[in-house]
Amino acid sequence: EAGVTQFPSHSVIEKGQTVTLRCDPISGHDNLYWYRRVMGKEIKFLLHFVKESKQDESGMPNNRFLAERTGGTYSTLKVQPAELEDSGVYFCASSHRRWDEKLFFGSGTQLSVL
Amino acid sequence: AQSVAQPEDQVNVAEGNPLTVKCTYSVSGNPYLFWYVQYPNRGLQFLLKYITGDNLVKGSYGFEAEFNKSQTSFHLKKPSALVSDSALYFCAVRDGALAAGNKLTFGGGTRVLVKP
């Protein structure tokens, strides 16, 4: 079974530019989550999709971040315009059922904003 | 609000010695507790969970964790560490109430270094 895949693995951009991160969940997993780890600190929740619907976006830091999941398959997370404090590792995770007690994580996208 | 504390940034242990990674938590309802591990250039992998029942839970790769309600702790343990256990370990919690959703709150992570 293919795992959760994330693209790109690394991205280096300048402040003010736009970056789009992509996540392909495990096939059949309706639930998709975005998390991020900034400055080597805690991994923090960003948002949760159930199929194409945003179930919980309480962790999105501000309106420079836009997440989509058209068709309920892969998801994108766009940062526009990027700021220095957006640097960190962005993780995607998926699960089949909403209350699944185990999440499957991708290897993350390391974002560096210079 | 939920919170998790991992008081040690790094734990060093000799191969063959017992390994303990500490975690304390705070949650308003019944805690669902998890340990995940991240190996270099890999995603987080699920190790084990406590939902209810026996306070000692066993997980992957010989790891186990003990739930202590009075101390609000969920320490990860392994009786005999291997060099291959060197990785970054994350403790996580979520409120067991259905209304709380499946949003995990993670600790800051503990790097484990097992020396030969």
Side-chain angles (χ1 to χ4, degrees), chain A residues 31-100:
Chain A
N31 294 272
L32 187 149
Y33 305 82
W34 284 98
Y35 286 83
R36 74 171 181 177
R37 189 177 191 224
V38 173
M39 297 293 290
K41 296 185 179 177
E42 297 88 353
I43 299 172
K44 293 198 172 182
F45 169 84
L46 295 178
L47 87 161
H48 170 206
F49 283 100
V50 177
K51 296 185 180 180
E52 67 276 7
S53 299
K54 292 177 184 176
Q55 187 69 35
D56 181 351
E57 52 184 332
S58 60
M60 294 289 266
N62 51 61
N63 59 11
R64 294 186 294 105
F65 289 75
L66 175 63
E68 295 180 322
R69 193 183 181 195
T70 306
T73 54
Y74 71 91
S75 174
T76 58
L77 180 64
K78 180 190 289 187
V79 185
Q80 179 181 29
E83 298 289 345
L84 300 179
E85 63 264 26
D86 300 332
S87 297
V89 182
Y90 289 76
F91 292 103
C92 176
S94 71
S95 68
H96 177 48
R97 293 178 297 269
R98 178 177 179 179
W99 310 114
D100 273 348

Side-chain angles (χ1 to χ4, degrees), chain B residues 6-80:
Chain B
Q6 293 181 242
E8 302 155 317
D9 290 336
Q10 181 160 323
V11 170
N12 298 317
V13 63
E15 186 174 33
N17 282 2
L19 169 64
T20 297
V21 186
K22 296 179 180 177
C23 170
T24 58
Y25 67 90
S26 173
V27 66
S28 56
N30 292 323
Y32 283 21
L33 294 155
F34 305 84
W35 277 100
Y36 282 82
V37 59
Q38 186 183 19
Y39 298 103
N41 301 315
R42 303 286 297 276
L44 279 73
Q45 295 179 29
F46 172 85
L47 271 182
L48 49 78
K49 67 185 179 188
Y50 171 83
I51 305 299
T52 187
D54 194 350
N55 289 345
L56 184 65
V57 293
K58 294 188 181 297
S60 307
Y61 313 121
F63 283 93
E64 58 189 27
E66 186 168 11
F67 170 64
N68 187 317
K69 187 174 182 178
S70 63
Q71 298 185 5
T72 61
S73 67
F74 190 56
H75 301 330
L76 181 71
K77 300 180 181 182
K78 185 170 184 179
S80 178

Side-chain angles (χ1 to χ4, degrees), chain A residues 1-5 24-31 69 72-73 94-96:
Chain A
E1 159 181 276
V4 177
T5 53
D24 286 71
I26 292 173
S27 177
H29 280 194
D30 289 340
N31 294 272
R69 193 183 181 195
T73 54
S94 71
S95 68
H96 177 48

